Structures are given as structure tokens and as C-alpha cells.
Amino acid sequence: MRQSAILLPLLLLLACKKDSKEPDTKEAAVHVKIGHHPKFSQGCITVEAHGGTGEPVLAEFKAPGQFDPNDPVLNVAVFRKADWGRDVEVTVRVFEKGCAAEQWVDERKQTFSFASAGRQEWLLEDLHTADEDGDGFVSPGGPMNRGTDCDDLRETAFPGAPELCNGLDDNCDDRQETGVVDRLWYLDQDRDGFGRNVPGTQACDPPSELHVEATGDCDDERADIHPNVVEACNGVDENCDGRADELFTEGPGALGTTCTEACGGTYACNSAGTGTECVGTTPALLYADADSDGEGEKDSAPVGELCPGAPLPPMMADNTLDCDDADGATSTQGTEVCDGLDNDCDGEVDEQMSCGSLRKVEDPALTGRYWRSVAVHPSGYPVWVAGLDGKLAVKRDAASAFLSHDGDASAPCGPAGNTLDWHAAWVNPSNSYLLVAGEDGWIGEHNGGSCFTSQINLPGNSDYFTSVVGVGETAQIFAVSTVGHLYEWTGAAQRHDSPGQYWGLHALGPNALYAVGSTGESSPLTPMVNLYIRDTNWGTAAAHNLQGTAGYNGGLRAVWAADATLIYAVGDGGLVVKGSGQSRDWERVLPPSGPTVNYVSVAAPTQTLNAYIIGNDGNSGRLQRLTPHGWAKAPAFTPSAPNVPLRDIAMTSSSNFWIVGDDGHVYHFPEP
């Protein structure tokens, strides 16, 4: 509170001391702090003091300059006159709009004794000085309930103010007088607050309850049309500016401009009137058609749109009817065949075919053995399976059971009672003889009644043949080993060396052999594909380039030449590479989503270009099918996939194939 020392005229006449305790006139004073309303700037405050016998003293404080709106406290010092008694009465009065008696609105009195006390203080904070509109007049109130301002929120309302034509009491005489006629009224039929665009009626008060002072309504029959309305997009001039939809005629999405969200589309007002939308013919949704059979994958998401009359883009369909979009042989127009697949996409597999399913073969000659290889004649029989510990068995025809040719059975391969581990098998198409190879360089030819064997000295102590195949009309037999060698089984065995390890071997015609494995024998391994070509003699291996395998650690385990244009090789960590006989550059095929499967074998039915690939997710066997269009839905094991590792697959067609694995697991499709 700013100190502003406004003093009464000095009343410092010496007074006689009546006793030694009484303060003298310099000490006998009252500091009066008078709080007032910040806008109390045109009123008057008086301070009157008297001490009984002497003349009273009066001081007036009024505008201009006596009241500070930034410091609404009036500080007054009252000193006792020398001819006054010990008691001094101080009276503070408040007047509105000057100091005339008829404008008196409040009063406070207090008596101060100076018998012993000296300087004293009187704080007045509740004086009735309320003047909110600053017009100099105070509204009724305070202890005296005085004040003449009838509307302290309007500066134009106070006693004696000129009466305006506003329907209000401006001069505080309790009457709403007409005043000067200076207002125009317009008929507002729709009661939206705006009158019609016509000449108005001059009057102080509205001619009727339907008349208002605002004009500009261009449609007085609709309350949603007037100058204060925000323009909507609907072809109507809502805000009465002489234009319709002016907010939507420029910029992106402007009315009438072309758009691509609809076929032949243009922007028009949306149904809510809040903006524009593309209006035209709704395009048809397009779906990926990877196998180009005219049908997209069931439950797939759209990947594009097509306007009526436009040509269908390649590998696109306008439907989702295909149950396997990676297989061109399956669609709603397909014909059901015995292959373990839903060819006609009706939700059933091989219906009305009665051909069986992919299930385990139950046979005493198979039980408990750890099979490593299976070989089948192109006609479908015989089927040979070979495995660890000298296990060997053959199924001659569909009606017969498997016949054991184990090392301790009749007509084994190798010495009687042998426990040789067989890792590879191949059936000669020309005579149905079995070629079997494996542990320690042993290789044998079994004709069903007897087996001719020989042993090739492999360099390592625990190395073995991993794959065997024959080429030519009079079969020339080749085998590859874990020390990365290609052997010819002729009268004098020949060896074609290569670094690393070989795990898979397959022939492409009579003059080409593909051998796969890894360039090293211990981790980290680099996958390898080598091609041997016969000119006069079989030459040195030519290494092929595997694209997309940089940094890969693992080896290729199997290879299959489907034809001169498509060769598959598979291996560790889900590795699949694809090549052809026309190029040394192979491309990597990314594995399907899901857990990583270590692939161990691959076969491709003739004239399909599909690869049936087996592998293992931990100790659980898996079968997957790769087509030129991607990973398809493979035939399913019945009732479920085996919980043992699988090792090899052999097939004559998609309607006849065999899979072998550990613990006596042999699977056949179709098996009754």
C-alpha cells in the first residue's frame, strides 16, 4: 500500500500538560488509512476532527488528483490541537460525485484517547465507495444503504444521465424512457436474430417481438440461413454473402475438380456438408494372383483397385477364391487329383479319389530302424530304404510288405552280419537294381536276390559316401563323400577332388552332375554348388555363384535338377537356392515365415517345377513345397507331422512319394 501522507492543516498548538504521562501534541496523532474503490475517482472523502472544546477541523479530498487507482488508500494524519481535550473524535464521510451533503453515502466515527497513548492508527477498509463503472456515482449499499447509481456496470447510467433509446433506465429514475428515436427495426420471421434485407422501420422500441435491429437475412423463412452461419457445402448461400459453397471452391479437393479415389471421379459435397468427397464409380478391389490362375488368395487383403473397362493387370485378380495362390494347379476351376491337395478349393482334399493320405507305413521290417535314404523306381516300385547299422529293406509292389535285407538277414549288402551305416540309395531305372553307399567308402549293387559290394578307400577315418546317382543308358555310377570328393564307380575308381564337404548329388541328363555341400569342414561353413561336365571325360568341377548368401554359415545338403531351366538346392538354416543349366549364377529363395527349418532333402516331380523339401525344426520333421510362384501349402501328414527328424524324400510324381526318418518312420503318399 503506497504511503501518501496527506495531512490535515497542522494542529500543533501547544497544550498544557495535565500530568507527566500525557503525550505532547507532537506525539498525539492518529494515522487514518482510508481504503477506497480503485475507480472511486469522482467522489469526495472528508475527515473531520475535534477535541470537545476547541474548533473542529475539516479536510476534503476529491478529484482531481486526490485518488490514485493504482494505490486505493488515502493516508491522513490527525494531530491533536493544543486546546483540545484528551479525547479526539475523528469522523470520515464518503460522498459520491462531489462533497455536497445530498451526495453523502457513508460515515465512520471513532474516538481516540490521548490520556497516555501517543501515536495511534485507524484502518478503514469497508467504506462504501463502490463505483465499478467509474462514473462517479456509487451503487446503493453500505451500513447507510445509500448511493444513487442504478446500474454500476454501465458508465452511461447514473442520476441525471441523458436517457437513451435503449429500453433501459439510464437516468436512474426507475423508468425505462423512450428517449430519442434513432433505431431501425427489421422483421425477423424465422427468429434467427437477423431481419430481412428490406428498408427498416424507425422506432425506439421494436414494433413487435419479431423485429430486430440486425439485418442481412437473405432467407427469412429458414433459421439456419443468416450472416453469422458458417458456410456449408450444399449448394446453398447460408451466410448471405451472395455466394454458395465459397469455402470449398479452391485448394485440394475443390468442388468440380477431378479425383482418383473413384473411377471418373470429381469432388462434390459430402453428405454432412462439412467438406468434399470424391464421387464417381466405385472401383473393383484387386488382389495378388501370384500363380496367375485368375484367382486371388482366400482372406487376403486388397493390393489395388480397377475401374470398369480397364484391363486387368498381370498377376492380379478381382476375387479371393484361390485356396493356394502359390500353386497354379489349385483354384475353384481346378480338377481334383490324387496329390494330397485341395485342387478345386472346395475345402476337401482328394475327395472321391479314395487314394489315401500322407501317413506312416506300419511294417515290421521298418520298425525301430534309423533310415537315412529312400529310392524308388520311376514306375513306382520297387521302393528301397536304407539306414544305419546295416539296415536295408525293399517293397517290390503295392501289395507286398517290406522285405528286410539287413546285415544279419538273407542277401545283405556287405559282409554277413555287417553293421554298415548306409547314407545314400538310388534305383537304376533300366534294371531296378539298388545302388547303396555309405560308411567307410562301402558301395553296393543289390538285384533283389544278392548284392555285389566293394569298398573305396576314403582319406578320412570317419568319412562316408553321402549321395549316389547313375547317369546314362548304361548307368555310370557316381558317389560323393564327406571329404568333398566325387567318385566314379568303374573298374578303376576315379576321384575328382574338391575342397570342403559334399552332401548331395544329382544328374541333369547324361552329361552333367551337380554336387552340393560346403567349402569348409568346420564352422563357419560356406555353401557350395559345383558342376561336373562330361566332354570326353568328366572334367574338373566348376563352382557356381550363390547370390544372397554372403555371411551365411552353413552347408547345402541336397540338390535336385528338375530340368535344364530349374535346379533346387537346400540346406542348413532354411537355405534354398535356385539355378538353371544356362547360368552359373544362382539366386536365393527366402524361406517361408515361421521357425527356421534345417533342410535335408529335396525332390521335384517331373513336369511340375515344384520342389518338395523336407527338413527338421529341432527334432520335429517338416514337409514344405516350393513352386515357381512361392511357398505353397504342402500335403499334410496324417494325423500330424512326425516328432522325429526326417532324412530323405523320393518321388515319382506328386501322386506318389516316400519320406523316411528316425525310429522306423517311413511315410508314403498315398497310403490307405
Side-chain angles (χ1 to χ4, degrees):
M1 186 165 57
R2 184 173 63 88
Q3 185 71 24
S4 176
I6 303 174
L7 304 179
L8 289 171
L10 288 179
L11 312 175
L12 300 181
L13 297 176
L14 293 177
C16 295
K17 289 187 177 181
K18 298 186 179 180
D19 56 50
S20 60
K21 294 182 180 180
E22 182 178 341
D24 61 25
T25 55
K26 294 181 180 180
E27 295 175 340
V30 178
H31 180 191
V32 184
K33 298 180 179 181
I34 305 171
H36 57 82
H37 191 277
K39 293 186 178 181
F40 185 75
S41 59
Q42 300 183 43
C44 173
I45 295 177
T46 65
V47 179
E48 182 179 4
H50 65 87
T53 57
E55 289 293 326
V57 177
L58 176 67
E60 293 181 348
F61 304 92
K62 55 186 177 180
Q66 296 294 308
F67 302 104
D68 187 351
N70 297 317
D71 188 5
V73 175
L74 185 65
N75 292 278
V76 180
V78 178
F79 290 84
R80 192 186 68 174
K81 292 175 62 176
D83 59 347
W84 287 357
R86 293 181 178 178
D87 295 335
V88 175
E89 182 182 71
V90 179
T91 301
V92 177
R93 294 185 178 89
V94 177
F95 302 84
E96 63 178 7
K97 200 67 173 180
C99 297
E102 63 271 15
Q103 292 165 326
W104 177 30
V105 295
D106 201 0
E107 177 183 278
R108 300 287 193 279
K109 292 183 178 181
Q110 186 163 321
T111 300
F112 298 89
S113 174
F114 293 102
S116 59
R119 297 182 182 273
Q120 300 180 52
E121 185 176 278
W122 185 18
L123 177 61
L124 286 172
E125 293 182 318
D126 58 347
L127 281 173
H128 184 54
T129 60
D131 186 10
E132 292 291 343
D133 54 13
D135 60 2
F137 292 88
V138 176
S139 60
M144 301 175 68
N145 195 27
R146 301 191 65 158
T148 61
D149 198 335
C150 56
D151 189 344
D152 201 29
L153 297 179
R154 288 195 301 130
E155 188 178 3
T156 58
F158 54 85
E163 194 68 32
L164 302 177
C165 186
N166 56 10
L168 302 174
D169 180 11
D170 298 301
N171 61 4
C172 297
D173 64 353
D174 293 329
R175 292 183 298 169
Q176 297 180 2
E177 296 173 334
T178 302
V180 180
V181 176
D182 58 359
R183 303 168 73 181
L184 289 174
W185 301 92
Y186 304 90
L187 181 62
D188 179 18
Q189 187 68 42
D190 56 13
R191 296 178 180 265
D192 60 6
F194 289 85
R196 299 176 179 180
N197 271 329
V198 296
T201 299
Q202 190 177 42
C204 181
D205 297 318
S208 75
E209 63 177 5
L210 294 179
H211 282 74
V212 295
E213 289 187 90
T215 185
D217 198 337
C218 54
D219 188 343
D220 200 34
E221 301 299 322
R222 290 180 53 178
D224 59 339
I225 295 179
H226 56 76
N228 277 358
V229 172
V230 176
E231 190 76 8
C233 187
N234 55 11
V236 177
D237 178 17
E238 284 98 351
N239 60 7
C240 298
D241 66 350
R243 299 174 296 167
D245 305 335
E246 65 271 15
L247 300 180
F248 310 96
T249 57
E250 296 181 358
L255 283 170
T257 59
T258 59
C259 53
T260 58
E261 293 87 346
C263 301
T266 57
Y267 283 107
C269 294
N270 61 27
S271 59
T274 56
T276 61
E277 62 183 358
C278 190
V279 177
T281 304
T282 302
L285 297 177
L286 291 181
Y287 303 87
D289 180 16
D291 56 13
S292 298
D293 61 2
E295 296 180 354
E297 183 79 25
K298 279 185 178 179
D299 301 322
S300 62
V303 295
E305 296 177 337
L306 183 71
C307 287
L312 192 67
M315 300 181 68
M316 291 284 188
D318 58 2
N319 61 76
T320 55
L321 301 175
D322 203 338
C323 54
D324 191 346
D325 198 38
D327 190 348
T330 64
S331 70
T332 58
Q333 306 303 312
T335 300
E336 198 70 24
V337 296
C338 183
D339 58 0
L341 304 175
D342 181 11
N343 304 104
D344 56 6
C345 292
D346 65 352
E348 299 182 64
V349 175
D350 298 341
E351 68 270 19
Q352 301 177 354
M353 305 299 299
S354 301
C355 62
S357 61
L358 179 58
R359 67 173 67 245
K360 184 180 179 184
V361 179
E362 301 295 344
D363 193 297
L366 305 175
T367 304
R369 289 148 169 82
Y370 286 79
W371 303 112
R372 287 294 182 268
S373 184
V374 57
V376 59
H377 189 272
S379 66
Y381 291 97
V383 177
W384 286 86
V385 291
L388 304 182
D389 203 25
K391 305 306 180 184
L392 194 63
V394 62
K395 182 178 175 69
R396 290 292 177 185
D397 53 53
S400 65
F402 274 91
L403 176 64
S404 175
H405 288 290
D406 295 351
D408 56 357
S410 62
C413 270
N418 77 80
T419 57
L420 297 172
D421 290 341
W422 301 118
H423 292 277
W426 176 75
V427 173
N428 191 332
S430 63
N431 59 18
S432 298
Y433 289 1
L434 169 72
L435 271 296
V436 63
E439 180 181 349
D440 251 354
W442 281 90
I443 190 167
E445 183 180 51
H446 204 301
N447 62 14
S450 62
C451 184
F452 168 74
T453 58
S454 66
Q455 185 179 19
I456 298 173
N457 184 24
L458 298 180
N461 294 327
S462 59
D463 291 293
Y464 55 89
F465 287 129
T466 56
S467 187
V468 63
V469 71
V471 296
E473 288 294 331
T474 301
Q476 184 177 5
I477 307 304
F478 290 87
V480 290
S481 72
T482 55
V483 289
H485 296 165
L486 172 69
Y487 288 86
E488 299 176 45
W489 195 34
T490 60
Q494 300 180 41
R495 192 177 76 190
H496 302 270
D497 290 350
S498 177
Q501 298 173 305
Y502 278 145
W503 297 102
L505 180 68
H506 200 255
L508 178 60
N511 300 312
L513 286 170
Y514 286 91
V516 301
S518 61
T519 57
E521 297 185 7
S522 60
S523 184
L525 301 176
T526 300
M528 172 179 64
V529 173
N530 283 345
L531 171 63
Y532 293 89
I533 297 293
R534 175 163 56 184
D535 188 359
T536 302
N537 295 305
W538 294 93
T540 304
H544 282 206
N545 303 316
L546 306 183
Q547 309 291 338
T549 61
Y552 174 85
N553 178 19
L556 290 169
R557 300 290 171 169
V559 61
W560 191 278
D563 61 21
T565 63
L566 187 59
I567 307 167
Y568 295 104
V570 302
D572 303 333
L575 179 62
V576 178
V577 290
K578 183 171 63 173
S580 76
Q582 288 80 38
S583 173
R584 289 191 177 185
D585 293 325
W586 290 44
E587 63 175 307
R588 183 173 183 179
V589 179
L590 295 179
S593 60
T596 299
V597 177
N598 292 307
Y599 297 129
V600 296
S601 186
V602 57
T606 58
Q607 299 178 345
T608 67
L609 303 184
N610 292 345
Y612 285 66
I613 304 171
I614 65 167
N616 300 294
D617 173 12
N619 288 322
S620 298
R622 297 288 182 264
L623 170 61
Q624 295 171 344
R625 185 163 60 99
L626 178 63
T627 80
H629 311 294
W631 291 96
K633 296 178 174 62
F637 289 93
T638 304
S640 61
N643 288 321
V644 296
L646 300 177
R647 304 297 180 180
D648 195 18
I649 182 172
M651 60 195 314
T652 61
S653 69
S654 58
S655 297
N656 183 44
F657 56 91
W658 297 80
I659 298 172
V660 299
D662 289 358
D663 196 22
H665 283 258
V666 175
Y667 292 86
H668 178 225
F669 179 85
E671 186 72 8

